[in-house]
Amino acid sequence: MAKPEDCDNDIFLPGGRLRLDLITPPAAEALREALRLARETKWDCMRSPHVFMGLLTDPDPSLRVWGERLHTDLTCLLRQFQDLFHQEEGEEDGVLILNREFLSDNVIRLLRDALSRANENGRGKITPMDLLICMLTSSKSIVAECFERLGVTAAKLTEQAVIAEHACRAR
């Protein structure tokens, strides 16, 4: 059984709720949007493409710079992902909350990796760029795979994300 102090290092509370105290407000809003989009696209759990879509819904300055560096219209990209991951079957009004049981294994890994990245960079809270960069560098990234099919490598996407992140921090 996990001791309470073991939970201090995890992104989840003992009952499975996501620790919002370890997430910046823009990243938390992106995750709430991801849940909404998971429902809207009729999935029964939040998956990494939903997190990506959530990041695109109301992109923070660093994500906007990333899109500009890629010469990409983020609103158009969001619509493309919504179309790509929309299911005809499923419940649009299903119950989904920011709890471990409603998140795919990849999203759980993504959140933990993003927290590790934030900590490695001297921050105690996950930013939207932590989510994006960890998503793009994951070996099981469906989002990166979608871009790879279009001829854009995960390495290029990640490089541009890191440059955008640093540019926004310098401002």
Side-chain angles (χ1 to χ4, degrees):
M1 185 163 145
K3 298 176 194 155
E5 62 269 12
D6 293 340
C7 298
D8 290 342
N9 298 324
D10 195 16
I11 191 72
F12 297 101
L13 294 168
R17 295 264 308 156
L18 187 61
R19 289 190 55 197
L20 294 175
D21 62 312
L22 297 177
I23 303 171
T24 62
E29 183 57 32
L31 293 172
R32 283 190 282 277
E33 283 297 313
L35 276 178
R36 181 186 65 77
L37 290 158
R39 274 188 226 99
E40 191 176 284
T41 56
K42 300 184 179 182
W43 288 79
D44 61 356
C45 71
M46 186 168 75
R47 306 180 83 70
S48 55
H50 298 116
V51 175
F52 183 64
M53 289 184 270
L55 291 167
L56 298 177
T57 300
D58 185 18
D60 77 338
S62 59
L63 272 145
R64 285 195 296 273
V65 170
W66 177 72
E68 290 166 10
R69 293 192 59 78
L70 293 171
H71 307 288
T72 300
D73 179 338
L74 297 180
T75 303
C76 181
L77 187 58
L78 171 60
R79 280 193 302 271
Q80 290 171 334
F81 266 79
Q82 283 176 293
D83 290 343
L84 187 61
F85 289 94
H86 181 80
Q87 299 186 118
E88 292 303 318
E89 303 289 319
E91 291 187 38
E92 196 170 325
D93 57 350
V95 174
L96 288 178
I97 57 173
L98 288 174
N99 192 298
R100 191 173 37 233
E101 70 183 282
F102 295 104
L103 309 177
S104 72
D105 290 345
N106 283 346
V107 170
I108 292 169
R109 189 172 22 272
L110 168 64
L111 291 167
R112 287 181 172 144
D113 290 349
L115 181 58
S116 291
R117 183 179 189 278
N119 289 332
E120 288 166 8
N121 284 286
R123 292 179 273 103
K125 294 186 178 205
I126 295 171
T127 66
M129 288 308 276
D130 291 321
L131 291 169
L132 178 65
I133 291 168
C134 288
M135 183 181 311
L136 296 172
T137 57
S138 169
S139 62
K140 297 180 180 185
S141 176
I142 293 167
V143 172
E145 185 180 315
C146 289
F147 281 101
E148 295 270 352
R149 289 180 186 171
L150 298 173
V152 183
T153 66
K156 176 171 176 66
L157 295 168
T158 303
E159 174 188 27
Q160 295 304 315
V162 170
I163 290 169
E165 180 182 45
H166 289 296
C168 286
R169 267 198 225 148
R171 290 182 186 171

